[in-house]
Amino acid sequence: MSELLKAFETYLKANLPKAPSFHPHYEKALGEMLLAGGKRFRAALVLAAATGFDENGASKAMSVALAVETFHTYSLIHDDLPAMDDADFRRSAPTLHKSYDEVTAILVGDALNTHSFSLLANAPLSSEIKIKLVAILAENGGARGMVLGQALDCHFENKKLNTQEVEFIHRAKTGRLIAASLQMGAYAGGANDAQARDLYDFGMDLGLYFQIRDDIIDATQESAAAGKPTRSDAHKNSFVTLLGIDEAQNRAKAEAKKLREAIAATQPTSLSIALDKALGGYLLP
Amino acid sequence: MSELLKAFETYLKANLPKAPSFHPHYEKALGEMLLAGGKRFRAALVLAAATGFDENGASKAMSVALAVETFHTYSLIHDDLPAMDDADFRRSAPTLHKSYDEVTAILVGDALNTHSFSLLANAPLSSEIKIKLVAILAENGGARGMVLGQALDCHFENKKLNTQEVEFIHRAKTGRLIAASLQMGAYAGGANDAQARDLYDFGMDLGLYFQIRDDIIDATQESAAAGKPTRSDAHKNSFVTLLGIDEAQNRAKAEAKKLREAIAATQPTSLSIALDKALGGYLLP
């Protein structure tokens, strides 16, 4: 996978959004959070799924991976705004509203949201596939998906929810974009609807696991290691505040086991191998 | 045109974004600014172009018109945020950050931005046409288009620009989405690339005219008549601050004349008639 992610970084750097004008920093700010790095987890999922179905699928899926990464980056920029998490740094870099101002952070987020769809529309795939990708990203990243999850998460800060409600929030906020990444990669690699749907369902479970894992990192890791402020979720409905740290860790282990088993059972074998390469490191016992 | 716009209102009310959950107001807020009205100018342009090329084009273009109106509404919600125009009301209704909170206004704007692409992806048109529409909306509404215009407009508040720079801003901020609306409607009605491109170019001139007209309204009309705060652009690079009110009015008249002539010369005749119906009232001598 590290080969693919190296190729992705090169592709990203060569395909930053362009917007020449007499604005002193807007164009630079557009690419800044994309360049700041991060795990590229969603991009890796797109590429893993695409290569799992087509060993040469990565080149066709590269702009799809960039679209998903661009969309995710918009969401981080807006989540970090003063009205929401009010975070000073992200991906070990200052947030845009700190480097520039709130207007820049709002507008760059808006632009990246929209730009994701431009990347999909211009991908080297058939119109039939591309319009499916647009529908999947818009449905899972939009009003009923990721944004709904964020709205719930913000609204119920400092208000206690039950496990079912917390799971609903995190499936919407994190799970749906992770699931969509796998489904989109599958289509880019030539999968049929049933295969793409299976990967979507696997992605929803994967998303839940990652949210629990993220909540544990937030509760236990130092900021510098995480690349963003930690210990910040104590007033939020995290799995750690809900279950306690021990139970959250047990739950994470159980979910990781289920995911490893699902990967082992995945067909075709090329997909099982690609998923294991992309995810194995995150799913240690 | 009023028949078509009545049908559009019915369609809009029946197709508000849905996002059921245990959030107390998120789903209602999603539709609130769409329902608040407005001129539906961009929707009217989509429908005029579509029916200009295909007398039965309106039904196929309805979700395209709603996509453009949804996208425009997202931009208004974000433009009104405290960090930008800090407006208390819009379309004669309280802005979302006033009715609820800033988080809701940011997230509803984000959701509507993304939702526009969902509407395009699910329109009753071929994948080839739909992916063109996605590309046009994303290119003109995104990083290099409307958002760039807004970024420039905000950044150069209180800083004097020349006519060329002010025109650049407003072509990006207003012109490109208006031009895109006509181009998208043309494609929905079955136009070829050259026809769609001609309408786009006409739309860029139309957008400039509307910006001048809007600046005159802001400088001269009472708030209640405009449905939004007026007299608010004195510190902005409006055409009125740049040219003075008399010269701005002369320029508006000259642009209106050019546009009337362009409409009269437009082929096919059905398109000329549709444009005149949609725009005639705005282009009086």
Side-chain angles (χ1 to χ4, degrees):
Chain A
M1 211 46 212
S2 73
E3 279 299 299
L4 273 183
L5 279 184
K6 259 185 235 163
F8 176 74
E9 290 301 322
T10 306
Y11 184 83
L12 179 147
K13 286 192 182 85
N15 289 280
L16 291 173
K18 284 175 195 65
S21 80
F22 52 96
H23 195 296
H25 66 251
Y26 170 76
E27 189 176 30
K28 178 167 176 285
L30 271 179
E32 212 163 294
M33 280 296 125
L34 280 164
L35 287 170
K39 297 185 295 286
R40 309 300 191 199
F41 181 57
R42 288 155 191 80
L45 293 177
V46 171
L47 297 173
T51 53
F53 287 102
D54 171 2
E55 59 178 325
N56 302 313
S59 64
K60 281 185 294 178
M62 214 43 100
S63 59
V64 180
L66 183 55
V68 170
E69 192 67 20
T70 298
F71 195 88
H72 174 59
T73 301
Y74 121 66
S75 79
L76 298 180
I77 293 168
H78 280 192
D79 285 4
D80 285 340
L81 283 170
M84 289 193 259
D85 284 354
D86 196 16
D88 290 353
F89 60 106
R90 166 71 75 173
R91 294 177 169 174
S92 304
T95 47
L96 291 182
H97 63 273
K98 281 284 159 184
S99 294
Y100 306 104
D101 48 38
E102 221 179 311
V103 170
T104 302
I106 294 168
L107 293 177
V108 166
D110 289 345
L112 295 182
N113 180 350
T114 302
H115 187 62
S116 314
F117 295 98
S118 199
L119 288 163
L120 293 180
N122 293 296
L125 295 161
S126 72
S127 297
E128 280 74 22
I129 296 289
K130 290 196 283 191
I131 209 69
K132 276 188 189 182
L133 302 183
V134 168
I136 294 167
L137 183 60
E139 172 68 21
N140 289 285
R144 252 196 297 268
M146 187 188 79
V147 182
L148 170 61
Q150 176 69 359
L152 287 164
D153 201 23
C154 289
H155 186 79
F156 288 98
E157 245 186 49
N158 303 313
K159 285 166 208 146
K160 203 157 168 56
L161 297 176
N162 63 37
T163 309
Q164 206 183 354
E165 289 165 330
V166 173
E167 280 201 24
F168 181 93
I169 290 178
H170 292 301
R171 281 183 185 274
K173 182 177 168 172
T174 315
R176 291 191 64 161
L177 192 59
I178 285 176
S181 302
L182 286 164
Q183 193 182 20
M184 292 167 76
Y187 278 123
N192 64 34
D193 289 342
Q195 290 169 320
R197 186 74 214 179
D198 282 349
L199 264 186
Y200 181 89
D201 293 340
F202 169 80
M204 286 303 292
D205 293 337
L206 182 64
L208 189 66
Y209 164 73
F210 264 85
Q211 189 62 50
I212 302 172
R213 189 177 167 278
D214 227 47
D215 288 350
I216 293 169
I217 290 172
D218 187 86
T220 59
Q221 219 178 69
E222 295 302 323
S223 238
K228 60 186 175 183
T230 56
R231 318 272 161 95
S232 59
D233 289 353
H235 58 296
K236 290 204 172 181
N237 281 289
S238 88
F239 285 98
V240 174
T241 53
L242 189 74
L243 304 173
I245 185 76
D246 290 345
E247 189 51 34
Q249 274 168 334
N250 287 340
R251 177 84 193 266
K253 272 180 203 164
E255 295 291 334
K257 183 163 178 285
K258 262 172 48 189
L259 291 163
R260 284 196 309 273
E261 288 166 2
I263 291 172
T266 293
Q267 290 298 327
T269 310
S270 54
L271 178 61
S272 178
I273 293 170
L275 291 175
D276 186 54
K277 272 194 200 167
L279 295 171
Y282 295 108
L283 300 175
L284 298 175
Chain B
M1 214 39 214
S2 72
E3 279 299 299
L4 273 182
L5 279 184
K6 258 185 236 163
F8 176 74
E9 290 300 322
T10 305
Y11 185 83
L12 179 146
K13 285 192 183 85
N15 289 280
L16 291 173
K18 283 174 196 66
S21 80
F22 52 96
H23 195 296
H25 65 250
Y26 170 75
E27 189 176 30
K28 177 167 177 284
L30 271 179
E32 209 163 297
M33 281 295 126
L34 281 164
L35 286 171
K39 297 185 295 286
R40 310 299 192 200
F41 180 57
R42 288 155 192 79
L45 293 177
V46 171
L47 297 173
T51 52
F53 287 102
D54 172 2
E55 59 177 324
N56 302 312
S59 63
K60 282 186 292 177
M62 214 43 100
S63 60
V64 180
L66 184 55
V68 171
E69 191 67 20
T70 298
F71 195 89
H72 174 59
T73 301
Y74 121 67
S75 78
L76 298 180
I77 293 168
H78 280 192
D79 285 4
D80 286 340
L81 283 170
M84 290 193 258
D85 284 355
D86 196 14
D88 290 353
F89 60 107
R90 165 73 74 173
R91 294 177 167 173
S92 305
T95 48
L96 291 184
H97 63 273
K98 281 284 159 187
S99 294
Y100 306 103
D101 49 38
E102 221 180 311
V103 170
T104 301
I106 294 168
L107 292 176
V108 166
D110 289 346
L112 294 182
N113 181 348
T114 301
H115 187 61
S116 315
F117 296 98
S118 200
L119 288 164
L120 293 180
N122 293 297
L125 295 160
S126 72
S127 298
E128 281 72 24
I129 297 289
K130 290 196 282 192
I131 208 69
K132 277 188 190 181
L133 303 183
V134 168
I136 293 167
L137 183 60
E139 172 68 23
N140 289 283
R144 251 196 297 267
M146 186 189 78
V147 182
L148 170 61
Q150 176 69 359
L152 287 164
D153 201 23
C154 289
H155 186 80
F156 288 99
E157 244 186 49
N158 302 313
K159 287 168 205 145
K160 205 160 166 54
L161 297 176
N162 63 38
T163 309
Q164 204 181 357
E165 290 165 327
V166 174
E167 279 202 25
F168 181 92
I169 290 178
H170 292 301
R171 280 183 187 275
K173 184 178 167 170
T174 314
R176 292 191 64 162
L177 193 58
I178 285 176
S181 302
L182 286 164
Q183 192 181 21
M184 292 167 75
Y187 277 123
N192 64 33
D193 288 342
Q195 290 169 321
R197 186 75 214 178
D198 282 350
L199 263 188
Y200 181 90
D201 294 340
F202 169 80
M204 286 303 293
D205 293 338
L206 181 65
L208 189 67
Y209 164 73
F210 264 85
Q211 189 63 49
I212 301 172
R213 189 176 168 278
D214 226 46
D215 289 350
I216 293 169
I217 290 173
D218 187 87
T220 59
Q221 220 178 69
E222 294 303 322
S223 236
K228 60 186 176 183
T230 57
R231 318 272 162 94
S232 59
D233 290 352
H235 57 296
K236 289 203 172 182
N237 282 288
S238 87
F239 284 98
V240 173
T241 53
L242 190 74
L243 304 173
I245 186 76
D246 290 345
E247 188 51 32
Q249 274 167 335
N250 287 340
R251 178 81 193 267
K253 273 181 204 163
E255 295 291 333
K257 182 162 179 285
K258 262 172 48 187
L259 291 164
R260 285 197 308 273
E261 288 166 0
I263 291 172
T266 292
Q267 291 297 325
T269 310
S270 54
L271 178 61
S272 178
I273 293 169
L275 290 175
D276 186 54
K277 272 195 200 166
L279 296 171
Y282 294 108
L283 299 174
L284 298 174

